[in-house]
């Protein structure tokens, strides 16, 4: 695995770990949970782009990142809707006026965990529980 790919993976793991830990605390910070789930999925997609030596665009749109990967990783197409749902949390939920529910936060964690498992597999990484010491 390329060094830069491993850095993307570490960052992705940190975002997901933060979301999981915050979800167990009171008060529930649903907006932050959803945002960090989106960020974890984005960084995993960018890790795979990096590993495949594809360009890494500056975008939060997970669907666009997925489109770049489909020629080499067609099995990820099954996550198209999941990536679309996570993309919603990239920007708007960080500002006043829109708030994520507890149900959305729980769904974001489940969704991110599902796509994480497949992206790790594409990267040749074993499935692992989410914990602080996770390394690529």
């Amino acid at each position: 695995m390329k060094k830069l790919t491993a850095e993307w993976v570490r960052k992705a793991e940190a975002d997901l770990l933060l979301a999981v830990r915050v979800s167990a605390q009171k008060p529930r910070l649903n907006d932050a949970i959803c945002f960090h789930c989106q960020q974890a999925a984005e960084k995993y997609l960018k890790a795979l782009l990096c590993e495949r030596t594809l360009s890494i665009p500056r975008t939060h749109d997970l669907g666009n990142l997925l489109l770049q990967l489909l020629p080499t990783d067609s099995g990820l197409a099954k996550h198209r809707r999941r990536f679309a749902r996570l993309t919603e949390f990239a920007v708007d939920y960080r500002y006043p006026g829109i708030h994520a529910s507890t149900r959305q936060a729980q769904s974001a964690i489940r969704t991110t965990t599902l796509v994480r498992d497949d992206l790790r597999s594409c990267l040749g990484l074993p499935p692992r529980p989410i914990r602080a010491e996770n390394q690529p």
Side-chain angles (χ1 to χ4, degrees), residues 115-133:
V115 299
R116 169 192 179 257
D117 290 347
D118 275 358
L119 289 163
R120 286 183 67 85
S121 177
C122 290
L123 288 163
L125 297 171
R128 284 193 167 165
I130 301 159
R131 58 181 190 260
E133 61 274 10

Side-chain angles (χ1 to χ4, degrees), residues 6-71:
E7 288 182 44
W8 279 111
V9 170
R10 278 191 288 278
K11 295 279 189 180
E13 287 292 308
D15 276 317
L16 185 53
L17 176 63
L18 187 140
V20 168
R21 284 189 175 170
V22 168
S23 73
Q25 299 175 353
K26 302 272 186 212
R28 286 189 56 104
L29 303 173
N30 295 323
D31 296 345
I33 293 165
C34 291
F35 171 70
H36 285 284
C37 285
Q38 184 279 337
Q39 285 291 290
E42 179 181 324
K43 289 169 184 157
Y44 259 115
L45 286 166
K46 289 180 176 180
L48 190 53
L49 286 167
C50 180
E51 192 64 14
R52 301 288 188 256
T53 316
L54 298 169
S55 67
I56 302 172
R58 295 186 79 127
T59 183
H60 298 300
D61 187 330
L62 305 182
N64 284 343
L65 297 172
L66 175 63
L67 283 176
Q68 284 186 257
L69 288 164
L70 289 179

